[in-house]
Amino acid sequence: MVSPLPTATDTTNANTADTHNRQLFIETVGCQMNVLDSELVVGALRRQGYELTDDMKSADTILFNTCSVRERAEHKIYSLLGRLKYAKRQRPGLVIGVMGCMAQKDQDIIFRRAPHVDLIAGTGQLAEIPNLIAEARQTRRRQRALSLGRRDGKRVEVADSFESYDPTREPQMRPTPHQAFVRIMIGCDKFCTYCVVPMTRGPEQSRPPTLIAAEVDILAEQGVKEVTLLGQTVNSYKHTEEGRLYRLSDLLHKIHDTPGIERIKFVTNYPRDMGSDLLEAIRDLPKCMHYLHVPLQSGCDDVLKLMKRGYTVAQYREMMDRINEIVPGCSVSSDFIVGHPGETEASFDKSIATIQEFRFKNSFIFKYSPRPGTKAFDRLADDVPEADKKRRNNELLAIQNAVSEEDNAEFIGKSVKVFVEGESKAESGKRKAEDANASPSSQDARPAIQLSGRTRCDRIVVFEGNPRLAGSSTEIAIEDCTTTTLIGSIVTHDVQHGCDVGLPILT
Ligand code: SF4
């Protein structure tokens, strides 16, 4: 599926191939699936001697891992590509590649808008990237590797052209050294009218449970303590192995006892596929987090129908009732699209009402933007003015923030068990700036810093502590909160007359 095309930038001499510095810059936009894809690609390139740099100017290989779900993400990539036009003129040996969803969907458009791009690799062809880079560098000809479009073959042929790419990883690219993503399925068959994913990531395919378990074993040996299982509709997971059907609940049972793994979570869930077997697994398996991301998208049945989401608000409510009954205290987060075609003020008010009713831990709120290649783009007029989309976005966010803060405040005065992820992000930026000016000896004598971690129900907690706590679990007394964060301090237990005096611990 690799097809060399004549390049528009064929101005180099062949010696460039031998003298390049193997510095790799990669920019990743989009979802966790993309973060994982970048980790895998960087891992493969490292084995060929590449080093990762965060300085685009010093890199001789630049990759963009792209997202097509929202227009803004695409604009960002075209703007970054535009800026590289002159860099490419000055350094013709530079190899520029575009991978991921935009590459799969818009290959010709990318080459037309950015003729200095050397290679394009679709979502199912990431394993080809090291070869594509080598070919592009050697031949100075454009390279592309793409999976079949959904209408370009039988389902099995199209599915086969999307490879699940999960070789040895690049630990440096992980969210933290103790956390890793594990892909358990690729693609999507739900066809929500506004979404390009079924086109860009192909048909739904679940990976064999034995392969997933083996990957979790390797990650645990590398020091990973928390795994996040990834799928576009992760709870639709189904795979038959040796005559036995594995659902997500069965997979959780299979990997639960992996030595070293302390926490397991999974995203993103599809409301209609939230079986009670899965909720019972979360209840019964102590390593599973009590947290579910289950996008509702709209609180109005008419809009849900236009979106072809496949459920009503009443059905979502039934799911929420089951979650609360089987896993009490489980937090749920959601996504919402505001300004979808057909969303009136009355339907928007219904979305507000659902946030107040379901009390989501948090919601990711997006303004609708028509995406070429989707049914909504072809068939539904983008009839909500931009100003209304913006206002509804702000309004819904404000309602969600108020709910989140009220629910976070319930934790004040209580004690929570927290898995420590590492330095809090705000602190990390500040410290990098300080370290740049500090002597090595002053860096060694660091006092306690602001750390961040998560509760079992995925609430972010910040507190002061020793950086060595990263990757362990600790107990935090909650003293304050914001809309997004619980703030507290490490609990030190006073032992008096044989009694451990402390606050009640919530998980
Ligand atoms: S379930 Fe719908 S929104 Fe989610 S990836 Fe599939 S088509 Fe897109």
Side-chain angles (χ1 to χ4, degrees), residues 188-192 194-198 232-233 270 297 309:
C188 182
D189 285 346
K190 303 294 191 276
F191 293 101
C192 303
Y194 54 82
C195 182
V196 289
V197 167
Q232 305 295 344
T233 57
Y270 183 64
Q297 302 297 12
R309 284 289 288 174

Side-chain angles (χ1 to χ4, degrees), residues 358-405:
F358 298 133
R359 303 198 72 81
F360 297 114
K361 175 178 76 78
N362 61 289
S363 290
F364 300 95
I365 299 165
F366 305 100
K367 287 184 292 170
Y368 172 79
S369 64
R371 309 304 301 125
T374 62
K375 287 206 177 99
F377 182 87
D378 293 338
R379 298 180 193 167
L380 301 173
D382 183 16
D383 58 0
V384 179
E386 184 58 28
D388 287 344
K389 288 181 186 170
K390 212 168 170 179
R391 173 180 50 80
R392 289 177 194 174
N393 192 335
N394 292 340
E395 222 173 293
L396 208 56
L397 196 59
I399 305 269
Q400 175 62 65
N401 283 346
V403 166
S404 301
E405 193 164 3

Side-chain angles (χ1 to χ4, degrees), residues 31 33 37 101 123-124 150 155 158-159 162-165 183-191 195-207 230-237 267-268 270 273:
C31 62
M33 203 66 95
D37 284 341
C101 291
T123 45
R150 281 196 91 123
R155 190 189 191 281
V158 176
F162 281 85
E163 293 165 32
S164 174
Y165 178 46
R183 188 192 328 267
I184 66 164
M185 57 193 296
I186 58 173
C188 182
D189 285 346
K190 303 294 191 276
F191 293 101
C195 182
V196 289
V197 167
M199 312 301 152
T200 58
R201 292 211 173 248
E204 192 175 295
Q205 301 176 75
S206 296
R207 295 179 66 214
L230 296 184
Q232 305 295 344
T233 57
V234 72
N235 57 337
S236 315
Y237 177 89
V267 286
T268 290
Y270 183 64
D273 291 343

Side-chain angles (χ1 to χ4, degrees), residues 231-248:
Q232 305 295 344
T233 57
V234 72
N235 57 337
S236 315
Y237 177 89
K238 266 193 194 100
H239 191 97
T240 302
E241 197 171 64
E242 291 176 1
R244 179 182 166 192
L245 174 71
Y246 283 80
R247 300 160 297 175
L248 179 56

Side-chain angles (χ1 to χ4, degrees), residues 308-480:
K308 280 209 169 30
R309 284 289 288 174
Y311 53 83
T312 60
V313 174
Q315 286 167 323
Y316 192 94
R317 182 174 295 114
E318 183 278 327
M319 177 202 73
M320 287 296 285
D321 289 346
R322 264 186 307 119
I323 293 173
N324 291 329
E325 189 192 321
I326 300 174
V327 197
C330 182
S331 65
V332 176
S333 61
S334 179
D335 293 345
F336 281 89
I337 295 173
V338 292
H340 187 275
E343 186 191 70
T344 61
E345 288 300 327
S347 35
F348 172 66
D349 286 346
K350 290 180 184 169
S351 289
I352 292 180
T354 55
I355 288 192
Q356 287 163 332
E357 177 185 350
F358 298 133
R359 303 198 72 81
F360 297 114
K361 175 178 76 78
N362 61 289
S363 290
F364 300 95
I365 299 165
F366 305 100
K367 287 184 292 170
Y368 172 79
S369 64
R371 309 304 301 125
T374 62
K375 287 206 177 99
F377 182 87
D378 293 338
R379 298 180 193 167
L380 301 173
D382 183 16
D383 58 0
V384 179
E386 184 58 28
D388 287 344
K389 288 181 186 170
K390 212 168 170 179
R391 173 180 50 80
R392 289 177 194 174
N393 192 335
N394 292 340
E395 222 173 293
L396 208 56
L397 196 59
I399 305 269
Q400 175 62 65
N401 283 346
V403 166
S404 301
E405 193 164 3
E406 269 171 34
D407 287 355
N408 281 348
E410 295 284 314
F411 285 79
I412 296 174
K414 293 173 182 161
S415 175
V416 290
K417 194 173 164 196
V418 166
F419 177 77
V420 186
E421 294 178 348
E423 205 166 353
S424 84
K425 278 193 185 133
E427 185 76 8
S428 166
K430 209 168 73 192
R431 189 161 298 277
K432 271 186 192 156
E434 282 169 8
D435 282 356
N437 301 320
S439 68
S441 58
S442 67
Q443 287 178 31
D444 289 342
R446 279 177 180 173
I449 60 166
Q450 196 178 61
L451 298 172
S452 103
R454 282 178 199 255
T455 65
R456 193 180 183 191
C457 60
D458 204 54
R459 286 187 158 80
I460 299 168
V461 182
V462 296
F463 55 96
E464 285 215 333
N466 191 306
R468 277 178 304 187
L469 283 173
S472 68
S473 291
T474 190
E475 198 184 324
I476 305 293
I478 301 303
E479 293 144 3
D480 199 356

Side-chain angles (χ1 to χ4, degrees), residues 124-192:
Q125 298 292 319
L126 303 184
E128 294 294 334
I129 286 179
N131 292 338
L132 298 176
I133 292 174
E135 279 291 309
R137 179 157 281 125
Q138 202 125 63
T139 63
R140 307 313 305 165
R141 289 164 74 85
R142 281 179 183 163
Q143 308 292 316
R144 66 169 110 191
L146 298 161
S147 300
L148 289 175
R150 281 196 91 123
R151 295 185 196 96
D152 296 338
K154 293 190 186 125
R155 190 189 191 281
V156 63
E157 292 166 346
V158 176
D160 283 351
S161 74
F162 281 85
E163 293 165 32
S164 174
Y165 178 46
D166 295 85
T168 321
R169 323 288 205 74
E170 170 48 47
Q172 255 199 354
M173 297 280 295
R174 287 181 193 150
T176 72
H178 309 289
Q179 298 172 294
F181 297 128
V182 177
R183 188 192 328 267
I184 66 164
M185 57 193 296
I186 58 173
C188 182
D189 285 346
K190 303 294 191 276
F191 293 101
C192 303

